[in-house]
């Protein structure tokens, strides 16, 4: 399936001396078009929302000049909602809402530039992937969906 690019957000809280953090991540994408193995080529008006809680293991290395490089991996639990409002251009046919919970994985690398002793600007490149959810209701055949995406994050990190 083809989804548009979109913005999402995440918030993480962690204990860096031990190298672990807990992260909440949420994204929403609008469906453009695509092929489902069970349904064939479709055009649709749909939204996919993915909310995930991750436990991340993070390694950090300070390079000097107030620059820190970091990388990590995470294992999480995702709630995936898929709202299929129309299928094949038929706007009068609301196919329904689907929801499935599944496990998710992520990997990321990035760098942080210190602004003050407690605050830093962070840039992160990551990969997210969830186990294929299986959706079905009384109007459709069961279908699965790949849920994976690269991400580029910009943000701030505050150290307590």
């Amino acid at each position: 399936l083809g989804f548009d690019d979109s913005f999402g957000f995440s918030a993480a809280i962690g204990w860096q001396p031990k190298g672990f953090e807990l992260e909440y991540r949420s994204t929403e994408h609008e469906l453009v078009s695509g092929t489902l193995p069970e349904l064939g080529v479709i055009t649709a008006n749909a939204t996919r929302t993915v909310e995930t809680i991750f436990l991340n293991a993070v390694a950090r290395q300070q390079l000097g000049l107030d620059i820190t490089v970091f990388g990590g991996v995470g294992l999480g639990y995702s709630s995936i909602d898929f709202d299929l409002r129309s299928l094949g251009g038929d706007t009068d046919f609301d196919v329904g809402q689907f929801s499935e919970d599944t496990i998710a994985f992520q990997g990321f690398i990035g760098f942080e530039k210190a602004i003050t002793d407690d605050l830093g600007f962070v840039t992160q490149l990551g990969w997210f992937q969830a186990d294929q959810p299986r959706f079905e209701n009384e109007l459709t055949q069961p279908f699965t969906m790949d849920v994976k995406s690269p991400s580029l994050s910009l943000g701030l990190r505050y150290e307590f």
Side-chain angles (χ1 to χ4, degrees):
L1 293 174
F3 290 89
D4 67 350
D5 294 334
S6 85
F7 292 97
F9 70 91
S10 70
I13 187 165
W15 191 16
Q16 288 302 319
K18 297 293 182 183
F20 291 97
E21 67 182 17
L22 192 62
E23 176 186 358
Y24 171 77
R25 173 185 173 140
S26 177
T27 58
E28 183 174 291
H29 298 90
E30 296 297 319
L31 177 67
V32 178
S33 65
T35 302
L36 290 173
E38 298 86 353
L39 300 177
V41 176
I42 64 167
T43 56
N45 179 6
T47 304
R48 180 182 71 193
T49 304
V50 181
E51 294 182 320
T52 306
I53 293 180
F54 279 110
L55 177 60
N56 295 325
V58 183
R60 301 173 59 81
Q61 179 64 49
Q62 191 162 359
L63 299 179
L65 299 174
D66 298 326
I67 301 286
T68 301
V69 176
F70 62 89
V73 294
L75 177 64
Y77 175 81
S78 284
S79 175
I80 302 170
D81 295 318
F82 186 58
D83 183 9
L84 186 53
R85 294 177 295 277
S86 70
L87 189 60
D90 185 354
T91 57
D92 295 326
F93 183 57
D94 186 356
V95 179
Q97 295 182 343
F98 305 87
S99 186
E100 182 76 18
D101 297 330
T102 186
I103 60 171
F105 311 92
Q106 73 172 352
F108 53 89
I109 57 171
F111 71 90
E112 176 183 346
K113 169 70 171 127
I115 299 170
T116 68
D117 288 342
D118 298 328
L119 186 66
F121 175 74
V122 176
T123 301
Q124 177 177 306
L125 182 62
W127 177 259
F128 169 86
Q129 184 166 341
D131 194 27
Q132 285 187 335
R134 179 180 166 87
F135 298 119
E136 65 181 299
N137 70 9
E138 62 279 355
L139 298 175
T140 68
Q141 296 286 330
F143 63 96
T144 59
M145 178 186 303
D146 284 335
V147 181
K148 50 188 166 184
S149 64
S151 64
L152 174 63
S153 302
L154 304 173
L156 297 174
R157 179 177 179 272
Y158 181 77
E159 189 170 324
F160 295 94

